[in-house]
Amino acid sequence: MSNDWQRLSPWAIVFFAFRGLKHIANLYPAFIGVFITAQHFDLGWGAIALYTFYAFVVLVLGASLYYLNFFYIQQGDKFLIRSGILQKDRLELPFARIQNITVKEPFYFRPLGLVILNMDSAGSSQKEVGIAALSLAKAAAIKDTIERYNAGRGSEKDDNCSIHNETPNVDPLAKKLLITRSNADIVLHGITHNRAWLLLAFMAPFFEQLQTLLFHLIEAIGFDFATWISNKSVFVISLLFLVSAFFIFFVMSLLSVLGSILSLYDFKLYAGKNIYQRNSGLLNKHEIQVKKSRVQALRYVQNWMDKIVGRLVLILEPFNASGGQPAAASIMQKILVPSINDVEFDALAKHVYPTFTLQKDAFKPISKYYLVRKLYMVVLPLLMAGCAIAIVSKQFELLVFAPLALLLMPLFYFRWRRYGWAQCDDYLIVRSGFIGVEYFVFPRHKVQQVKVYQSIFLKRKQLASVQFVLASRAAFIPFINERDAHALTNNTLCEVEMGGRSWM
């Protein structure tokens, strides 16, 4: 590559504008305040539209200035990046430190044959470098250069241990297709893992305005809703409520299916010599790569709807997968395999952890003291608080509802039944859940910290709780025998200190 600093394509201004718009969208609570203030001062839609236009001009101007100040260059085995408008940043990114490579084809670049190449050295969005508006061929060439460099470094390490161990003339970048997902599988995943209800939480501040708008629309077509409903029986009103609830549920399910198709369409999971690669996406195509050594844990996730249809979700968790991002964004930053069955899970799990086998009947339960603790620390205080409020307020009819706190105990019981832990070779498995179930599998040598919790009450019962902290998340096992807790802690720390295996 040339020794001169290179500028991005002018189309990168579109990318920087969209990125700025995404950052602004995260400040939506502030816009709610602006909207309410505008209504209070009766500025009118014309003024709001004018201010929106001004904001758009500022956004495009900022994106243009950022583009004019963004330069990159490849020097040997590293990337150098210069960026910033008022605050100048210079980033040096050695190939050996690059952990994830993502090639994204957003919908606004696809007609132009351009992509965004993201290189991540620390597993978080704050350390991610995005080179936008590259041609697909140029991005592929850069990605192959980085992969070949890292594959060569891996071969050198292998050669130090064994000579002539590899088959000659084998491309180190060759990838094997592990699994694909059909359109039916993607739709089923959207139905069983419905996240569209988060949209209702986002729209909550606007419910009053939406309700007013709806009534205005009903009045505009000449329908007197208030008079109509006042003449209806309780049965008809209840039926209307049920139909409305079903309609809302149906719309939310459609939105969830749409989101699943947009993010997971044409799903393919590949395995290379040192990497896993996931390809998916409809409008925005994503190619996500994660080093095998970077995978911190394996998750088997099966909610109650998955149990009905006999499916589950497999998640390979890399280092700090979420990176502080919201859940909707982090789905595109991890290796998630949707809507598979137990046989497919076993095959994929064997590929990730060759000596691991999930034996669902080999789990040790936690102590029943978990239920006693919930009874005394949660249920009874709520029961007494309800009675106290009813007595102090002299609304004794509320005493009828106080015993409802006891209904929490069946919920805690089901959660207690789900909790469990097991060991398989060098792996620990933590089971949790409520109606559904989740198995969290991780190698001992990946553990960063081990914390043992034992209060005075737990010590009297000879119990303890253990928390294993990994680079991706923490696994918690509550209320187990203290001998088991100390044995797990000592064995894990011994493996970390004496095993000599890297966690990355």
Side-chain angles (χ1 to χ4, degrees):
M1 185 173 284
S2 170
N3 290 325
D4 296 330
W5 288 90
Q6 299 187 44
R7 190 188 295 278
L8 300 175
S9 165
W11 288 105
I13 295 175
V14 180
F15 165 72
F16 293 131
F18 268 95
R19 189 173 68 176
L21 187 63
K22 184 170 67 174
H23 292 323
I24 292 174
N26 291 331
L27 302 175
Y28 75 91
F31 290 104
I32 296 173
V34 172
F35 181 75
I36 294 175
T37 303
Q39 281 193 324
H40 177 73
F41 289 103
D42 196 21
L43 296 179
W45 288 104
I48 294 176
L50 182 62
Y51 293 143
T52 302
F53 173 75
Y54 290 156
F56 174 77
V57 171
V58 171
L59 180 66
V60 174
L61 179 61
S64 302
L65 291 174
Y66 196 87
Y67 155 74
L68 292 174
N69 288 274
F70 191 101
F71 300 90
Y72 73 96
I73 187 174
Q74 179 185 331
Q75 289 184 346
D77 60 351
K78 62 185 177 183
F79 262 100
L80 299 177
I81 305 234
R82 289 193 340 221
S83 62
I85 302 175
L86 299 179
Q87 178 179 323
K88 301 294 183 181
D89 295 323
R90 181 185 174 99
L91 175 64
E92 181 175 316
L93 190 61
F95 290 172
R97 298 292 300 275
I98 296 175
Q99 300 295 330
N100 296 343
I101 303 175
T102 304
V103 178
K104 180 180 178 182
E105 296 181 62
F107 66 92
Y108 50 84
F109 277 168
R110 289 185 67 184
L112 304 171
L114 302 177
V115 299
I116 303 167
L117 180 68
N118 290 327
M119 296 173 289
D120 175 16
S121 64
S124 67
S125 58
Q126 289 78 10
K127 297 298 182 182
E128 187 178 70
V129 174
I131 303 180
L134 292 175
S135 67
L136 186 58
K138 191 170 186 179
I142 294 174
K143 183 170 70 73
D144 288 350
T145 300
I146 297 171
E147 288 183 16
R148 289 186 183 278
Y149 175 83
N150 287 326
R153 292 180 69 248
S155 297
E156 290 176 5
K157 292 179 181 179
D158 293 340
D159 290 341
N160 291 334
C161 301
S162 59
I163 301 176
H164 305 302
N165 213 15
E166 295 185 5
T167 305
N169 302 322
V170 174
D171 186 357
L173 302 186
K175 300 180 181 69
K176 174 186 176 183
L177 179 63
L178 293 182
I179 193 171
T180 62
R181 295 286 82 193
S182 67
N183 292 338
D185 294 326
I186 301 303
V187 170
L188 185 60
H189 175 76
I191 295 173
T192 57
H193 289 260
N194 193 339
R195 297 293 183 267
W197 296 102
L198 297 176
L199 182 64
L200 294 179
F202 176 83
M203 295 174 59
F206 303 100
F207 278 166
E208 184 176 350
Q209 288 80 6
L210 291 174
Q211 181 181 1
T212 303
L213 178 62
L214 180 61
F215 281 123
H216 284 334
L217 290 175
I218 294 176
E219 291 176 359
I221 62 177
F223 180 72
D224 190 349
F225 181 76
T227 303
W228 180 84
I229 200 170
S230 63
N231 295 326
K232 300 301 176 182
S233 63
V234 175
F235 173 78
V236 173
I237 295 175
S238 301
L239 185 62
L240 176 64
F241 174 79
L242 291 176
V243 171
S244 301
F246 177 80
F247 177 75
I248 293 174
F249 176 80
F250 179 73
V251 171
M252 292 295 103
S253 298
L254 286 181
L255 290 175
S256 178
V257 169
L258 177 62
S260 180
I261 292 174
L262 289 175
S263 60
L264 299 173
Y265 177 77
D266 195 25
F267 180 96
K268 293 182 177 65
L269 178 64
Y270 297 91
K273 178 182 178 183
N274 298 315
I275 64 167
Y276 288 107
Q277 177 177 308
R278 164 188 152 182
N279 291 38
S280 65
L282 182 60
L283 296 180
N284 297 334
K285 287 189 173 293
H286 296 260
E287 179 183 295
I288 302 168
Q289 290 187 356
V290 176
K291 286 185 177 179
K292 290 182 178 180
S293 60
R294 192 179 174 85
V295 175
Q296 302 294 308
L298 182 80
R299 289 173 59 201
Y300 172 118
V301 181
Q302 186 180 52
N303 62 27
W304 67 274
M305 294 188 72
D306 282 326
K307 290 184 70 67
I308 294 175
V309 298
R311 297 298 182 96
L312 61 103
V313 173
L314 167 69
I315 301 175
L316 303 184
E317 292 214 339
F319 166 57
N320 198 14
S322 62
Q325 301 179 49
S330 65
I331 186 176
M332 301 312 299
Q333 303 299 327
K334 62 178 68 173
I335 303 295
L336 178 148
V337 187
S339 196
I340 61 176
N341 55 40
D342 283 321
V343 175
E344 291 168 326
F345 171 84
D346 290 337
L348 291 174
K350 279 287 187 182
H351 195 280
V352 180
Y353 298 142
T355 60
F356 168 72
T357 301
L358 180 60
Q359 298 178 348
K360 296 183 179 180
D361 56 350
F363 281 79
K364 296 182 179 180
I366 64 172
S367 171
K368 292 182 180 179
Y369 184 70
Y370 174 87
L371 296 174
V372 176
R373 180 93 169 221
K374 293 298 182 182
L375 175 64
Y376 285 106
M377 301 295 291
V378 178
V379 176
L380 292 182
L382 286 176
L383 178 62
M384 291 186 290
C387 294
I389 292 173
I391 293 173
V392 171
S393 63
K394 296 183 179 181
Q395 297 181 5
F396 299 105
E397 63 274 10
L398 295 179
L399 290 173
V400 178
F401 299 99
L404 292 178
L406 297 175
L407 296 179
L408 292 174
M409 283 308 297
L411 305 182
F412 291 132
Y413 173 78
F414 286 119
R415 188 159 181 79
W416 168 76
R417 286 289 303 269
R418 286 297 184 201
Y419 262 123
W421 61 279
Q423 302 179 76
C424 175
D425 196 41
D426 293 332
Y427 307 101
L428 287 178
I429 309 102
V430 179
R431 186 182 65 194
S432 60
F434 174 49
I435 299 177
V437 64
E438 175 176 330
Y439 297 95
F440 187 73
V441 185
F442 58 94
R444 295 178 189 271
H445 70 274
K446 297 282 188 178
V447 173
Q448 304 288 302
Q449 299 178 31
V450 182
K451 301 177 181 179
V452 178
Y453 302 92
Q454 190 176 40
S455 64
I456 297 176
F457 300 103
L458 289 180
K459 191 172 182 62
R460 290 177 57 186
K461 298 289 183 179
Q462 296 182 334
L463 299 173
S465 300
V466 186
Q467 184 182 45
F468 299 93
V469 181
L470 290 88
S472 58
R473 64 171 59 209
F476 188 68
I477 311 176
F479 304 157
I480 62 175
N481 186 281
E482 63 179 356
R483 291 192 301 272
D484 291 334
H486 292 306
L488 283 173
T489 301
N490 293 334
N491 293 339
T492 301
L493 293 178
C494 181
E495 176 63 29
V496 171
E497 295 177 5
M498 307 300 293
R501 289 185 287 176
S502 173
W503 61 275
M504 285 199 57

